Amino acid sequence: MPLSQEERQEFLAQPHIAALAVAAGRDRGPLNVPIWYQYAPGAEAWVLTGPESEKMRYIKEAGRFSLMVQRLEPTVRYVSVEGPVTRITPMTDELHREMVARYLPPDKVDVYLKAAEAYGEQVAVYMRPERWLSADLGDLSSL
């Protein structure tokens, strides 16, 4: 059963690991990689990546990407959202901390941020959700 607009936005706002997919050119399937993301209902979704990464190159070429998140319990549920890139900005310390704090326990945030300095420059890529797919398939444990 499809989720309502409110349900799908709330689900996407939870800290799932997303699968980011972006067209990878002619004669290739899409690039599809796991990624941390940030989203608040009604806002843009955003991800962090290296400005010279393969992912960033394809995002620039395509001008859009999709994110898909799912869970298996208590019910099988997923949300997929696709849309155009609205802006690309340099990653700030505030953005980096916000993303890391979304996924890691408080006592691990500073440790991770220190280690992540080795990753080099990053950018925030923003996407306006335009097309949504969603469903809650219910409790499948009894099948």
Side-chain angles (χ1 to χ4, degrees), residues 126-137:
Y126 293 80
M127 178 257 286
R128 183 182 71 247
E130 191 173 74
R131 292 184 184 88
W132 296 77
L133 292 173
S134 64
D136 192 322
L137 305 175

Side-chain angles (χ1 to χ4, degrees), residues 1-60:
M1 168 162 248
L3 302 176
S4 70
Q5 179 178 348
E6 182 179 325
E7 289 172 323
R8 69 185 185 211
Q9 288 186 0
E10 288 298 326
F11 188 75
L12 189 63
Q14 296 170 11
H16 303 284
I17 304 297
L20 180 146
V22 61
R26 188 180 164 153
D27 299 326
R28 289 200 51 193
L31 175 72
N32 195 337
V33 295
I35 196 163
W36 289 354
Y37 70 96
Q38 181 61 286
Y39 175 74
E44 297 169 304
W46 57 273
V47 299
L48 297 174
T49 190
E52 304 300 324
S53 68
E54 180 179 30
K55 181 183 340 136
M56 188 71 245
R57 182 168 46 93
Y58 291 139
I59 289 171
K60 284 180 179 177

Side-chain angles (χ1 to χ4, degrees), residues 61-111:
E61 288 173 8
R64 58 193 318 110
F65 64 93
S66 65
L67 297 172
M68 192 281 298
V69 298
Q70 66 178 347
R71 73 167 191 218
L72 299 177
E73 294 178 353
T75 60
V76 176
R77 179 178 276 200
Y78 73 87
V79 168
S80 177
V81 62
E82 180 257 333
V85 172
T86 55
R87 59 195 159 118
I88 300 169
T89 64
M91 179 186 72
T92 64
D93 291 342
E94 293 79 23
L95 287 175
H96 201 190
R97 180 171 290 280
E98 177 182 339
M99 183 69 77
V100 173
R102 174 174 164 84
Y103 288 95
L104 297 180
D107 63 324
K108 302 293 184 197
V109 171
D110 287 331
V111 173

